[in-house]
Amino acid sequence: MNLSYESHPLEEKKPRRIFSGISHNRFFIPILLFLLLQGLVMLGFFTRSDLGLYDAFFRLKGASNPGEKVVIVAIDDSSISRLGPPAWPRSVHARLLEKLKEARAVSFDLTFNSAQEAREDQAFASAIQKHGQVILAAKFTFEKDESGELVQGFEPPLQELMSGAAGLGFVNTPTDIDQRVRRSTLVDVNYFEVPFPSLAIATAMVAQDISYEELKLEADRLLLGKTEIPLSPLNQAMVKFWGPKATFKTISYADVIEEKIPPAYFQDKIVLIGSITPEDHDFVTTPYTTSNMVKGGALDTPGVEIHASIVQTFLEDSWYREAEKPFNMAFLLLAGLLTSLVVRGRGPWKGLIGTVLVTLASIALVYGLWEYQRIWLSLAAPLALILLTYVVVTATEFIRAELGRRKTKAMFSRYVSADVVDELLKNPDEISLGGKKQVVTIMFADIRGFTAFSENKDPVDVINRLNEYLTAMTDSIQSHGGTLDKYLGDGLMAFFGAPVYFEDHVERAIKVAREIQVKVAELNHKWAEQGAVPLLVAVGINTGPVVVGNVGSPERMDYTLIGEDANLASRVEALTKLFETLVLVSERSYDLLPEGETKASLHYVGEELVKGFTHPIKVYSFTDLDLHFEKSQDKGFK
């Protein structure tokens, strides 16, 4: 199968109306598909795919070292085995704060909303107040009231503990529709009707000496002193993740208590304290979490490490932000238009290469913006549009080209042989709808004496015999790659060198002239045995430049040629009567013949001035054939 299906130049205009919008407007398909996919985007069809691609970029980049400015003191299995099962006496936390006295800020990802022994609570409260840089955790609750409406509640730590704390923040962490954490709600305005910070933001504020008065919430950003954080309408920010579980420096709680880690290590560090044991179920899925451990997967991340990521993101000011909708729409449209440009008219394989290049360029652009500008440009819909545009444009052009091939085959099957039609379909650029100027060899053939023969005879017999002669001539013409232009009553017109060009088009025409005389002689012998009058066929040949192509209206077209040399070929055929020979070749054809057998087979007959030409035309005929006839014997000659 020929997989090249560029638009065929001989397709007629009217039958292409079905594809007129597509073929005349290269942007019709991508714009239509853009509108379709943009509608799907608005319906959230690509949300999960986009989130998956966002995660893939983190995994593609790999884990990076966040440093040790933010460290985690973890309540782990080792600590439980050495200090006993939780909940520990709060004096233990007081001892921990003593070991962390040089830390810049200490944040507890633990809720202390219920009282223990007064002595324990007092010891812990005193330690909090003495340290002066401790941040405690609160929690929002959500329950339905009697009417079924969701009511937000608030669970703060004990007032005794909270009074000495440097900061307070909520620990609630939002997830996306696939239950992964990619964003963090930095402030809540629903419960207190004023911005209330998350635990991570409260920790960062204490560490950076940012007062509550410097916390300002605006329409699409959060201002913390001189730091500006981009926010979504839900007051959420896209957090940077450094890697999977245990990417941040994590120290066992018991190791700090037992001073296996010297207190000086924590100088000017931000310390977050939380549980990483499975029993506490404080684990979340992040972009780095994968389920296949055999292939290097990663388990869920402890909640305390999420808070650490948020604090580190704040310190580096490395928040990600989603591109605004107009930019996503523009990127989607550009992807479709660019794909259409590289696919249209190039065939399936070149189009596929172009599509792959556009895909790679789109991924590189989105990754570059994500990595260096921290802007997330939606990628799933553009990738789908790129693929869909390739498929639709390729399929449309294939269908249109196939229809064009069928029309071309139907059109030229009337003029040329099946082999020439196949050659045309392989090389459609050799012809053009509007016609083009090229050198061809034209042949006119006429049955001598046919008018006299047809007098007083049954018209059916006349037509049958005429068809037999015309069929023989047509077969000879098409077998040598010639094009039958038209039948002219008892004659015909043909040419060689178009629509498929042959270097030896002059020789082909002369060989056909010789073959016609041989076939006519055989027919005459057949008819003579039946007592019928033999007929003669005169042939005139000329070569020169003409305009060849489809001529007519969109409703009715013929592939033909026009030009001076076509007229001269007709005049040369008429000179056969004057020179009393059945085949004449003009000097214009003769001069183009290469030296060889064909040229040697011709001899000079004479020259004559013909109508429409200022100089006499020299003519040649076959040396080895007896083609002489007398005008007096040509009863049809006038």
Side-chain angles (χ1 to χ4, degrees):
M1 178 184 292
N2 181 15
L3 289 178
S4 175
Y5 48 78
E6 287 79 1
S7 299
H8 202 288
L10 287 177
E11 294 177 41
E12 299 181 36
K13 293 182 179 179
K14 187 172 182 179
R16 291 171 61 188
R17 283 180 185 166
I18 296 175
F19 296 98
S20 61
I22 298 173
S23 59
H24 295 298
N25 185 349
R26 68 178 61 191
F27 300 126
F28 176 82
I29 288 177
I31 290 176
L32 182 63
L33 295 177
F34 160 75
L35 294 174
L36 172 62
L37 265 70
Q38 181 58 36
L40 293 177
V41 169
M42 296 173 68
L43 293 174
F45 184 82
F46 294 101
T47 300
R48 288 181 178 272
S49 300
D50 264 323
L51 294 176
L53 290 169
Y54 182 81
D55 296 346
F57 280 5
F58 276 105
R59 293 194 292 270
L60 177 66
K61 179 182 178 181
S64 56
N65 185 4
E68 296 185 17
K69 191 172 183 65
V70 179
V71 297
I72 296 171
V73 172
I75 299 174
D76 55 4
D77 291 335
S78 175
S79 298
I80 293 173
S81 65
R82 285 184 279 174
L83 300 178
W88 296 323
R90 286 175 180 164
S91 59
V92 176
H93 298 311
R95 289 167 53 196
L96 178 70
L97 288 177
E98 178 64 25
K99 309 298 181 184
L100 300 175
K101 60 184 178 181
E102 295 189 45
R104 188 173 185 83
V106 177
S107 181
F108 282 90
D109 183 22
L110 303 169
T111 56
F112 302 106
N113 56 359
S114 60
Q116 287 189 351
E117 292 183 15
R119 185 177 56 184
E120 295 292 331
D121 290 342
Q122 180 60 45
F124 188 29
S126 297
I128 292 173
Q129 188 168 19
K130 180 179 178 181
H131 191 286
Q133 295 290 95
V134 176
I135 304 94
L136 297 179
K139 182 171 66 174
F140 288 113
T141 60
F142 300 90
E143 296 178 354
K144 291 184 178 181
D145 60 12
E146 296 178 355
S147 63
E149 293 185 5
L150 197 63
V151 178
Q152 182 175 347
F154 182 66
E155 292 184 0
L158 291 174
Q159 180 63 40
E160 182 180 3
L161 304 179
M162 191 168 53
S163 60
L168 181 68
F170 64 88
V171 294
N172 303 74
T173 302
T175 59
D176 288 321
I177 59 173
D178 57 354
Q179 306 308 309
R180 286 181 185 261
V181 173
R182 299 178 183 88
R183 316 160 204 266
S184 172
T185 302
L186 301 188
V187 291
D188 180 86
V189 293
N190 297 319
Y191 191 82
F192 296 104
E193 297 183 354
V194 292
F196 181 73
S198 67
L199 180 64
I201 291 300
T203 302
M205 291 174 65
V206 171
Q208 298 293 93
D209 293 326
I210 299 173
S211 66
Y212 183 81
E213 287 72 21
E214 295 179 270
L215 175 64
K216 297 179 181 179
L217 179 63
E218 296 187 356
D220 56 354
R221 59 183 179 168
L222 178 67
L223 301 178
L224 286 173
K226 297 180 180 180
T227 302
E228 182 178 304
I229 304 174
L231 293 181
S232 72
L234 297 176
N235 297 330
Q236 294 179 352
M238 301 181 76
V239 182
K240 178 179 178 180
F241 292 91
W242 275 261
K245 175 184 178 181
T247 298
F248 279 83
K249 176 71 172 179
T250 302
I251 303 169
S252 175
Y253 191 110
D255 286 346
V256 179
I257 292 291
E258 297 170 359
E259 291 194 4
K260 292 184 177 180
I261 304 296
Y265 169 80
F266 298 99
Q267 184 176 6
D268 289 330
K269 295 186 186 302
I270 300 173
V271 180
L272 290 98
I273 304 165
S275 173
I276 63 171
T277 61
E279 289 77 13
D280 281 319
H281 305 290
D282 187 17
F283 288 84
V284 295
T285 304
T286 72
Y288 281 99
T289 304
T290 54
S291 59
N292 194 329
M293 295 300 296
V294 176
K295 296 184 177 180
L299 294 175
D300 289 345
T301 300
V304 66
E305 195 162 353
I306 300 299
H307 298 306
S309 296
I310 299 169
V311 173
Q312 187 69 32
T313 302
F314 175 85
L315 296 178
E316 293 188 2
D317 193 21
S318 54
W319 305 96
Y320 288 90
R321 62 186 186 275
E322 292 182 275
E324 296 181 6
K325 290 183 179 180
F327 290 102
N328 281 317
M329 291 178 63
F331 179 48
L332 180 62
L333 178 60
L334 179 63
L337 295 178
L338 187 58
T339 305
S340 179
L341 288 176
V342 302
V343 171
R344 191 173 188 269
R346 287 175 171 80
W349 301 119
K350 290 182 180 179
L352 180 60
I353 293 174
T355 300
V356 171
L357 292 177
V358 173
T359 301
L360 294 176
S362 300
I363 295 174
L365 172 64
V366 174
Y367 184 81
L369 290 173
W370 179 84
E371 173 65 19
Y372 300 108
Q373 299 297 322
R374 295 188 296 278
I375 296 175
W376 174 244
L377 198 61
S378 295
L379 183 59
L383 292 181
L385 181 58
I386 290 170
L387 176 61
L388 195 58
T389 299
Y390 167 74
V391 172
V392 174
V393 170
T394 301
T396 300
E397 291 200 338
F398 178 82
I399 294 171
R400 181 162 53 86
E402 183 62 27
L403 291 176
R405 274 195 286 267
R406 292 183 182 182
K407 294 167 189 171
T408 299
K409 187 171 184 179
M411 177 185 298
F412 279 95
S413 294
R414 297 179 292 165
Y415 309 128
V416 296
S417 66
D419 292 339
V420 174
V421 172
D422 292 339
E423 190 67 27
L424 278 174
L425 297 178
K426 294 178 184 178
N427 303 282
D429 293 335
E430 293 186 3
I431 48 181
S432 60
L433 179 61
K436 66 177 181 178
K437 191 173 184 178
Q438 67 182 77
V439 175
V440 299
T441 298
I442 306 104
M443 169 188 290
F444 277 83
D446 184 65
I447 302 177
R448 289 284 176 257
F450 189 79
T451 303
F453 163 78
S454 60
E455 292 178 357
N456 302 319
K457 287 186 173 60
D458 186 346
V460 175
D461 294 336
V462 173
I463 292 298
N464 288 338
R465 188 166 185 189
L466 175 62
N467 287 341
E468 193 167 2
Y469 278 87
L470 293 177
T471 299
M473 290 189 283
T474 301
D475 290 344
S476 295
I477 292 166
Q478 294 189 343
S479 66
H480 287 81
T483 300
L484 175 66
D485 187 308
K486 59 179 67 73
Y487 293 112
L488 305 168
D490 56 357
L492 56 80
M493 172 184 174
F495 51 88
F496 299 79
V500 177
Y501 183 77
F502 301 105
E503 292 288 344
D504 61 342
H505 57 88
V506 180
E507 293 177 86
R508 288 172 181 256
I510 293 174
K511 289 178 181 178
V512 169
R514 176 187 291 274
E515 189 173 298
I516 285 176
Q517 298 304 320
V518 173
K519 287 189 175 183
V520 168
E522 293 173 355
L523 288 175
N524 285 337
H525 179 72
K526 168 188 169 183
W527 284 98
E529 291 178 349
Q530 300 176 20
V533 177
L535 299 175
L536 304 177
V537 176
V539 178
I541 295 173
N542 179 55
T543 303
V546 295
V547 176
V548 59
N550 276 316
V551 177
S553 68
E555 288 76 18
R556 179 71 170 87
M557 284 190 175
D558 284 319
Y559 187 72
T560 186
L561 53 79
I562 56 175
E564 173 187 281
D565 283 279
N567 297 332
L568 182 56
S570 177
R571 301 285 188 269
V572 170
E573 186 274 324
L575 288 179
T576 59
K577 301 174 184 178
L578 176 65
F579 290 105
E580 299 183 341
T581 185
L582 292 175
V583 176
L584 286 179
V585 179
S586 75
E587 62 180 314
R588 297 186 182 185
S589 297
Y590 181 84
D591 291 342
L592 292 175
L593 283 171
E595 296 298 329
E597 181 180 349
T598 301
K599 191 168 188 177
S601 68
L602 300 176
H603 70 277
Y604 175 73
V605 175
E607 61 182 67
E608 181 67 23
L609 187 66
V610 298
K611 182 178 180 181
F613 295 85
T614 56
H615 300 287
I617 302 300
K618 295 179 181 179
V619 292
Y620 300 79
S621 189
F622 291 116
T623 301
D624 56 335
L625 294 181
D626 181 13
L627 303 176
H628 177 76
F629 76 100
E630 296 181 5
K631 288 184 287 187
S632 59
Q633 294 178 356
D634 183 5
K635 297 180 181 180
F637 176 72
K638 298 181 181 179

